[in-house]
Amino acid sequence: MGSKNKLKRFKENETFSNVYQPKRDKLLDGAFPIKGNWNLEVFKNNNPIVLELGCGKGEYTLALAERYPDKNFIGIDIKGARFWRGAKTALEKDIYNAAFLRIQIELIEYCFASNEVDEIWITFPDPQIKYKRTKHRLTNLQFLDRYKNILKPGGLVHLKTDSEFMHGYTLGLLHGLNKEIIYSNHDIYTNYGSPEVVTAVQTFYEQQYLENDKPITYLQFKLN
């Protein structure tokens, strides 16, 4: 994507009513008024809040929002030029239960209050395989602690990935922490019994993985 296109999308994001782009320093100062008030200020209802971390173009967030109108979905990514497409489509199609938040995921606790979130989806994250990149892995211990702090008791985390490494790493970590694993599958499209919510929605890249016979793994677990 050219720099002019990116700038155009950044500018357009600023006009979208479903996009929130708090400044880092404001977050660190605790000056984000929507924290703890997403249902009241943004969605105008009391429906469950579901986050997608690293939402990319927002296609998974939108698909879930359309499929589950009784839930509120927030796609989170630092790359606003990517989720511009999802935000624009949501407005064009009047998908009122989808919003987008441009932040670094390590700042998630500054945007959501304790017990404010019902579910978290982590879809096809970069597995950060090299050891020195462990701190960037979205299911490392530090990130799991952040998620636990904003999830309601019994809240669910979903990890859907094409990386067997990421699946195994997370599964091992959860076992070591004695966390409750609800479901684990190394190939959701060839094994019977996979949750319908996992197989019903596919991203563009996921469809490419499947065409190349690449297994898709899935974990569902609780942190508190």
Side-chain angles (χ1 to χ4, degrees), residues 15-223:
T15 71
F16 290 164
S17 60
N18 59 355
V19 170
Y20 300 85
Q21 304 184 92
K23 300 294 186 183
R24 182 184 180 90
D25 58 341
K26 296 293 184 182
L27 289 178
L28 295 177
D29 288 341
F32 186 53
I34 302 177
K35 178 180 178 178
N37 296 299
W38 282 91
N39 275 339
L40 178 66
E41 299 291 339
V42 176
F43 298 109
K44 316 297 183 186
N45 61 47
N46 290 315
N47 292 339
I49 291 177
V50 183
L51 310 182
E52 186 197 359
L53 308 183
C55 68
K57 294 181 180 180
E59 54 188 322
Y60 213 92
T61 296
L62 290 186
L64 288 173
E66 288 187 289
R67 195 170 188 84
Y68 302 100
D70 57 343
K71 295 182 179 182
N72 300 321
F73 293 86
I74 304 170
I76 300 177
D77 209 300
I78 191 60
K79 296 183 178 180
R82 285 188 183 176
F83 70 58
W84 164 88
R85 179 65 269 171
K88 190 176 181 70
T89 298
L91 293 175
E92 292 170 345
K93 297 177 69 174
D94 294 329
I95 303 174
Y96 298 115
N97 63 325
F100 292 87
L101 175 64
R102 183 174 182 261
I103 61 162
Q104 292 172 308
I105 295 172
E106 57 262 35
L107 299 176
I108 197 168
E109 291 173 276
Y110 295 91
C111 297
F112 299 93
S114 175
N115 300 334
E116 188 171 16
V117 175
D118 292 81
E119 296 180 53
I120 292 174
W121 280 84
I122 307 171
T123 51
F124 302 96
D126 186 335
Q128 307 286 0
I129 292 176
K130 293 183 179 180
Y131 178 76
K132 65 180 180 180
R133 300 290 297 174
T134 302
K135 65 179 181 180
H136 299 289
R137 219 171 280 159
L138 288 185
T139 57
N140 70 27
L141 182 58
Q142 289 72 35
F143 276 111
L144 292 182
D145 282 342
R146 292 180 178 113
Y147 308 153
K148 179 181 177 181
N149 288 338
I150 63 173
L151 279 167
K152 292 180 179 177
L156 295 176
V157 182
H158 310 263
L159 172 65
K160 187 177 182 182
T161 174
D162 62 307
S163 170
E164 186 65 38
F165 167 82
M166 187 71 166
H167 181 91
Y169 165 82
T170 307
L171 190 60
L173 189 58
L174 293 171
H175 278 305
L177 295 170
N178 198 29
K179 299 300 181 182
E180 183 179 358
I181 297 167
I182 309 299
Y183 189 87
S184 175
N185 196 316
H186 290 264
D187 193 345
I188 59 173
Y189 292 104
T190 60
N191 293 323
Y192 291 108
S194 297
E196 187 267 348
V197 64
V198 187
T199 56
V201 178
Q202 297 174 4
T203 66
F204 172 77
Y205 289 109
E206 183 177 355
Q207 291 171 5
Q208 288 190 328
Y209 299 149
L210 293 173
E211 288 173 3
N212 293 320
D213 295 322
K214 192 169 188 180
I216 305 299
T217 73
Y218 172 70
L219 266 177
Q220 182 184 123
F221 55 94
K222 295 181 181 180
L223 293 172

